[in-house]
């Protein structure tokens, strides 16, 4: 009898069986606090955020505002974003990083029997979020072409409730022609997500945000983690039709973005001069590092992001490069599945970090 009661208690306090079988997202490796490394594996910006931030934080602290709740929908930041892109504030949802925007979008539009379509490879969080829905949503893929571009013809011929892609793509760094993406959006029967975490490192005018007004099925997500040097803050946003944003907003936490996060992101967003200078330094260093790596016999597709997707053409394997760099306290990213297993992904660091990376690679290769 005692054994039966014990078994009943165990079953009643166990998580759902669906949760037990979930595969969590695997982020880039984080070194221990205080460990001195060259960290080129998670696409963080090597330069600090806007210097204007410090004074604003101090004012919030001095006035004791932290004892109060933040604005529930990040009104001031939302208004700044709307002004820049000539949108209505109700078309914008500010989120806890763009990952929350993706999660809320998936929850809002995908249900039992629906499918999501994505190029393969692309951002590896997408299938994880689909699994977490735990309601039988199908995750379908479209393999990249041999030149690593998306197979736009295949995507255009398919049907799904949601088509999701990173623009520029990750981990390849490749950008599709904007005109081709607009044609895809207009012809696709379901929702289309343009995940623009890296768009600021492409040429001006490549974002699809300006197409929101003309395409009711289009959603764009952005983040402050990369180009604004605020990965530790966790702020992003989603742009879509007023109707879709209003429905997605029903799913968010009451106060999903803190007061400091809202204010810091707004300051960084409005400091356009500093943003442009930081962005330019990353782009210049990207080109310098690409040329130096190509001289070491790497194949690297043209990148429009703050990282390079690097295929070694010599005898040393990508995995061995990753391991031997790590032995030297230089962290790069290695993916062991699909076509990505033939590459290492290297974030753009400072020129000094690039030089140390190149010196190590000359010893390894």
């Amino acid at each position: 009898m005692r054994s039966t009661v014990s078994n009943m208690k165990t079953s009643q306090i166990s998580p759902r069986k669906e949760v037990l079988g979930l595969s969590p997202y695997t982020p880039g490796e984080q070194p221990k606090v205080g460990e001195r490394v060259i960290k080129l594996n998670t696409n963080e910006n090597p330069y600090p955020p806007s210097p204007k931030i410090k004074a604003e934080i101090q004012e919030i602290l001095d006035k004791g505002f932290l004892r109060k709740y933040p604005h529930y929908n990040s009104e001031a930041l939302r208004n700044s974003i709307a002004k820049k892109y000539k949108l209505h504030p109700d078309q914008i949802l500010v989120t806890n990083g763009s990952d929350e925007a993706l999660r809320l979008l998936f929850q809002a539009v995908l249900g039992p029997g629906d499918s999501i379509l994505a190029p393969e490879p692309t951002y590896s969080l997408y299938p994880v979020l689909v699994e977490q829905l735990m309601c039988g949503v199908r995750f379908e893929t479209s393999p990249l072409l041999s030149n690593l571009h998306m197979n736009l013809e295949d995507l255009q011929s398919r049907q799904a409730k949601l088509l999701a892609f990173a623009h520029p793509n990750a981990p390849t760094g490749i950008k599709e022609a904007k005109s081709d993406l607009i044609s895809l959006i207009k012809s696709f029967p379901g929702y289309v997500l343009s995940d623009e975490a890296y768009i600021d490192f492409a040429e001006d005018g490549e974002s699809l945000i300006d197409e929101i007004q003309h395409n009711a099925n289009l959603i764009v997500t952005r983040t402050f983690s990369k180009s604004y040097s605020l990965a530790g803050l966790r702020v992003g946003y989603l742009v879509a039709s007023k109707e879709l944003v209003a429905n997605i907003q029903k799913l968010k936490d009451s106060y999903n973005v803190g007061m400091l996060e809202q204010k810091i992101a707004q300051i960084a967003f409005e400091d356009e001069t500093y943003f442009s200078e930081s962005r330019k330094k990353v782009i210049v260093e990207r080109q310098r590092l690409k040329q130096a790596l190509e001289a070491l016999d790497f194949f690297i597709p043209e990148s429009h992001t703050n990282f390079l997707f690097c295929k070694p053409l010599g005898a040393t394997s990508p995995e061995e490069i990753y391991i031997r760099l790590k032995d030297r306290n230089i962290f790069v990213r290695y993916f062991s599945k699909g076509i990505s297993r033939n590459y290492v992904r290297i974030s753009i660091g400072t020129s000094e970090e690039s030089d140390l990376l190149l010196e190590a690679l000359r010893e390894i290769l």
Side-chain angles (χ1 to χ4, degrees):
M1 181 66 180
R2 189 172 295 174
S3 174
T4 303
V5 173
S6 175
N7 291 338
M8 286 177 60
K9 286 184 176 179
T10 301
S11 65
Q12 288 171 351
I13 63 171
S14 296
R16 290 173 56 180
K17 64 180 184 299
E18 294 90 348
V19 174
L20 295 175
L22 292 180
S23 302
Y25 174 70
T26 305
E29 188 173 357
Q30 297 286 356
K32 296 177 182 177
V33 175
E35 188 177 2
R36 299 192 66 177
V37 302
I38 296 174
K39 192 168 181 293
L40 305 174
N41 66 332
T42 49
N43 302 337
E44 295 145 333
N45 197 313
Y47 304 107
S50 169
K52 295 181 179 180
I53 290 170
K54 187 175 181 180
E56 292 288 344
I57 293 176
Q58 193 60 53
E59 182 180 6
I60 289 173
L61 296 174
D62 290 345
K63 293 183 177 180
F65 288 155
L66 286 185
R67 64 185 175 83
K68 298 183 177 182
Y69 285 106
H71 195 278
Y72 76 99
N73 68 3
S74 308
E75 182 179 47
L77 174 57
R78 193 178 65 153
N79 288 342
S80 291
I81 296 168
K83 181 179 179 181
K84 178 174 180 177
Y85 294 113
K86 297 180 175 58
L87 298 165
H88 192 283
D90 289 345
Q91 292 178 277
I92 299 162
L93 177 65
V94 178
T95 55
N96 184 255
S98 61
D99 285 352
E100 187 198 24
L102 298 174
R103 179 178 61 79
L104 294 174
L105 171 66
F106 284 25
Q107 281 184 281
V109 305
L110 296 171
D114 289 335
S115 62
I116 173 175
L117 174 64
E120 174 61 37
T122 191
Y123 186 21
S124 56
L125 180 65
Y126 299 159
V128 174
L129 293 175
V130 170
E131 249 195 302
Q132 290 174 354
L133 293 173
M134 296 184 289
C135 65
V137 174
R138 300 187 307 278
F139 186 79
E140 301 178 359
T141 60
S142 172
L144 299 181
L145 299 170
S146 59
N147 62 4
L148 300 182
H149 279 266
M150 294 193 300
N151 189 336
L152 296 172
E153 185 176 338
D154 179 53
L155 293 174
Q156 207 154 20
S157 69
R158 306 273 288 273
Q159 293 199 10
K161 185 69 176 294
L162 173 66
L163 166 62
F165 53 79
H167 169 56
N169 198 15
T172 65
I174 289 176
K175 174 183 67 66
E176 305 298 334
K178 185 174 181 179
S179 58
D180 289 340
L181 293 178
I182 292 172
S183 296
L184 176 61
I185 294 162
K186 290 185 179 301
S187 64
F188 196 76
Y191 288 109
V192 179
L193 165 68
S194 178
D195 179 356
E196 299 187 351
Y198 299 100
I199 196 69
D200 287 326
F201 300 107
E203 297 83 355
D204 291 337
E206 291 298 313
S207 172
L208 292 169
I209 283 182
D210 56 0
E211 291 298 315
I212 292 284
Q213 310 287 37
H214 313 297
N215 298 278
N217 64 329
L218 176 61
I219 304 106
V220 174
T221 55
R222 302 286 291 270
T223 180
F224 285 86
S225 296
K226 316 297 183 184
S227 53
Y228 288 94
S229 305
L230 294 173
L233 202 66
R234 312 310 303 136
V235 182
Y237 58 97
L238 175 149
V239 184
S241 68
K242 290 182 185 180
E243 294 75 18
L244 183 57
V245 168
N247 281 299
I248 295 173
Q249 187 165 277
K250 297 173 185 176
L251 301 171
K252 80 173 185 69
D253 290 342
S254 303
Y255 303 99
N256 63 327
V257 180
M259 182 186 296
L260 287 175
E261 285 83 354
Q262 292 180 29
K263 190 62 177 178
I264 290 170
Q266 183 185 357
I267 296 163
F269 187 77
E270 293 178 352
D271 191 353
E272 295 187 4
T273 299
Y274 183 83
F275 167 79
S276 297
E277 291 170 354
S278 177
R279 170 180 177 260
K280 183 178 180 180
K281 285 192 287 187
V282 171
I283 292 172
V284 169
E285 184 58 25
R286 179 181 71 196
Q287 189 59 27
R288 184 183 83 92
L289 181 60
K290 182 176 186 290
Q291 291 174 350
L293 289 170
E294 288 173 335
L296 292 176
D297 209 19
F298 282 90
F299 163 74
I300 305 171
E302 196 65 37
S303 174
H304 298 269
T305 62
N306 67 335
F307 60 82
L308 298 172
F309 198 46
C310 309
K311 181 179 183 180
L313 301 178
T316 311
S317 72
E319 185 175 16
E320 185 178 355
I321 290 171
Y322 156 74
I323 292 170
R324 294 179 67 179
L325 283 174
K326 186 178 175 182
D327 289 341
R328 291 164 169 78
N329 283 338
I330 300 175
F331 285 60
V332 297
R333 192 79 189 267
Y334 173 66
F335 302 92
S336 60
K337 297 179 181 179
I339 64 170
S340 298
R341 68 182 184 276
N342 299 315
Y343 295 77
V344 289
R345 193 193 68 190
I346 302 174
S347 305
I348 306 303
T350 63
S351 57
E352 293 79 12
E353 289 173 329
S354 295
D355 289 341
L356 291 170
L357 167 71
L358 293 167
E359 181 181 337
L361 285 171
R362 292 186 186 104
E363 296 173 0
I364 291 169
L365 299 174

